[in-house]
């Protein structure tokens, strides 16, 4: 498969679509990012890497970090994690408060904000220094020691994160947040601020294409069953209430973030990451979504 020619072509074809979206502005630091940026990277289990466009520029991975934190917590808690969060699509926006009242503070799934905040709370109960543990984890998965938090983005979100504070306090009133809201959100805002390139992001998700084993050092990160289930969650909830359309049009388990990144995997084959900041109304990258659709269409490869 000529992946290099394929992603070069897809980047050219889909770049103009970015003008149909809007860069996230509710986190002030994200609003400063150029809407013109666009990168695509593929990392394969055969140790090949293919890159095009702005693949070497760091960007804020935002909600994509929810996969890393969930994976860390899931490996420790196993099925007990389902006492704290559900695993059904929410059908509402990623930052919605509505369901939580009816569902007694148990978020629908770990990939909406409420669910990720509960996962941050779990990490804080397990690890004395969860931010360090998370950073080491992502560096190991990406096989790259230079990865770091972007303190400017974390601070900017903390200063404007009223909805996330509301979600956390609301869940605490139901007993589903055990630590202080300030401490839990400090982890959450930092995980969202993780800055990776598309190349690093594609590398860091390869363990999910490899039955839970990190191909860079052969360490079992998740059991094969846990990796399978995490991918099922990505397929059903990874793009918020556009997950159904992503499964329909793209056909890969994926995860998006409001920084404009999307990453997706094909088991036993590869991981692919796109970054184009302008978002559609659901909070997903317009050009990235289309690029991934074209990738599975042109290559004939998907999970279906
Ligand atoms: N940090 C963002 C928020 O909490 C993450 C949301 C996202 O990427 N969808 O609003």
């Amino acid at each position: 498969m000529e992946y290099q020619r394929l992603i070069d072509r897809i980047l050219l074809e889909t770049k103009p679509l970015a003008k149909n979206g809007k860069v996230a502005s509710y986190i002030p630091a994200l609003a400063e990012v150029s809407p013109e940026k666009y990168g695509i990277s593929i990392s394969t289990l055969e140790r090949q890497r293919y890159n095009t466009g702005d693949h070497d520029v760091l960007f804020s991975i935002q909600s994509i970090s929810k996969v890393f934190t969930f994976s860390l917590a899931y490996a420790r808690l196993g099925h007990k994690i389902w006492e704290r969060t559900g695993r059904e699509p929410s059908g509402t926006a990623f930052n919605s408060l509505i369901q939580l009242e009816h569902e007694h503070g148990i978020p629908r799934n770990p990939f909406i904000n409420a669910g990720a905040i509960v996962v941050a709370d779990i990490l804080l109960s397990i690890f004395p220094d969860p931010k360090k543990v998370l950073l080491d984890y992502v560096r190991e998965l990406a096989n790259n020691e230079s990865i770091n938090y972007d303190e400017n983005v974390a601070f900017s979100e903390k200063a404007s994160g009223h909805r996330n504070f509301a979600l956390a306090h609301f869940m605490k009133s139901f007993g589903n947040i055990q630590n202080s809201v300030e401490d839990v959100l400090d982890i959450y805002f930092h995980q969202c601020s993780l800055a990776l390139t598309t190349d690093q992001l594609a590398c860091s998700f390869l363990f999910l294409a490899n039955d839970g084993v990190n191909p860079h050092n052969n360490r079992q990160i998740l059991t094969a069953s846990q990796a399978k289930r995490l991918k099922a969650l990505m397929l059903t909830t990874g793009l918020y209430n556009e997950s159904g359309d992503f499964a329909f049009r793209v056909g890969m388990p994926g995860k998006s973030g409001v920084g404009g990144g999307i990453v997706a995997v094909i088991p036993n084959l590869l991981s692919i990451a796109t970054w184009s900041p302008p978002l559609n109304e659901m909070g997903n990258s317009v050009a990235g979504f289309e690029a991934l659709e074209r990738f599975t269409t042109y290559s004939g490869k998907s999970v279906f």
Side-chain angles (χ1 to χ4, degrees):
M1 178 61 58
E2 288 221 45
Y3 290 129
Q4 189 62 51
R5 286 220 332 245
L6 194 58
I7 59 175
D8 288 342
R9 170 184 168 194
I10 290 173
L11 184 115
L12 274 180
E13 285 178 2
T14 56
K15 200 172 170 37
L17 298 173
K19 69 174 182 319
N20 300 331
K22 277 204 194 94
V23 177
S25 58
Y26 73 101
I27 301 172
L30 293 185
E32 291 161 19
V33 179
S34 163
E36 301 294 323
K37 295 281 184 221
Y38 194 7
I40 305 178
S41 298
I42 290 176
S43 192
T44 74
L45 285 178
E46 290 182 335
R47 303 279 169 153
Q48 303 295 322
R49 281 150 75 170
Y50 305 90
N51 289 294
T52 192
D54 296 307
H55 61 88
D56 51 3
V57 181
L58 293 169
F59 68 96
S60 184
I61 68 167
Q62 293 294 320
S63 279
I64 296 172
S65 65
K66 293 170 181 170
V67 176
F68 295 132
T69 52
F70 177 77
S71 174
L72 251 180
Y74 193 29
R76 284 296 188 106
L77 255 62
H79 66 274
K80 282 189 86 60
I81 203 158
W82 306 121
E83 293 169 11
R84 304 284 304 277
T85 172
R87 49 176 192 252
E88 288 291 342
S90 72
T92 56
F94 61 82
N95 55 5
S96 172
L97 283 138
I98 290 172
Q99 277 163 353
L100 277 179
E101 171 95 66
H102 297 299
E103 299 178 4
H104 311 289
I106 306 292
R108 270 291 171 92
N109 67 65
F111 294 155
I112 51 174
N113 287 12
I117 292 168
V118 166
V119 171
D121 182 56
I122 291 170
L123 295 182
L124 191 55
S125 297
I126 300 175
F127 302 110
D129 189 352
K131 283 194 287 188
K132 176 166 189 320
V133 172
L134 176 63
L135 193 55
D136 289 344
Y137 190 67
V138 176
R139 286 174 172 176
E140 180 193 337
L141 290 176
N143 196 26
N144 191 312
E145 288 300 308
S146 72
I147 290 171
N148 226 323
Y149 298 116
D150 182 332
E151 292 295 339
N152 181 35
V153 172
F155 179 79
S156 176
E157 186 169 3
K158 184 175 184 180
S160 58
H162 307 299
R163 251 178 189 272
N164 289 320
F165 277 99
L167 286 167
H169 279 292
F170 200 38
M171 290 190 289
K172 195 165 174 69
S173 77
F174 287 103
N176 199 20
I177 294 290
Q178 294 169 358
N179 298 282
S180 95
V181 164
E182 283 282 330
D183 293 348
V184 172
L185 288 181
D186 184 56
I187 299 168
Y188 177 75
F189 295 142
H190 275 85
Q191 71 176 72
C192 288
S193 84
L194 276 166
L196 272 73
T197 65
T198 52
D199 182 40
Q200 293 165 353
L201 191 57
C203 285
S204 68
F205 268 66
L206 262 188
F207 78 107
L208 287 173
N210 196 34
D211 289 334
V213 176
N214 181 354
H216 309 299
N217 62 6
N218 286 324
R219 190 167 82 85
Q220 188 96 43
I221 303 294
L222 293 174
T223 66
S225 165
Q226 286 172 332
K228 180 183 74 179
R229 291 182 159 166
L230 173 40
K231 281 174 281 187
L233 271 178
M234 287 164 63
L235 189 74
T236 52
T237 72
L239 278 89
Y240 319 116
N241 44 348
E242 213 171 18
S243 302
D245 205 39
F246 192 76
F248 183 83
R249 285 172 48 197
V250 176
M252 293 188 278
K255 186 74 202 82
S256 63
V258 291
I262 307 179
V263 59
V265 299
I266 300 182
N268 304 318
L269 192 63
L270 59 78
S271 159
I272 176 166
T274 61
W275 173 50
S276 165
L279 309 176
N280 63 21
E281 280 173 5
M282 306 286 190
N284 295 317
S285 168
V286 178
F289 197 128
E290 181 68 27
L292 293 170
E293 177 172 3
R294 289 184 195 219
F295 175 73
T296 51
T297 304
Y298 296 164
S299 70
K301 295 186 194 306
S302 80
V303 297
F304 302 112

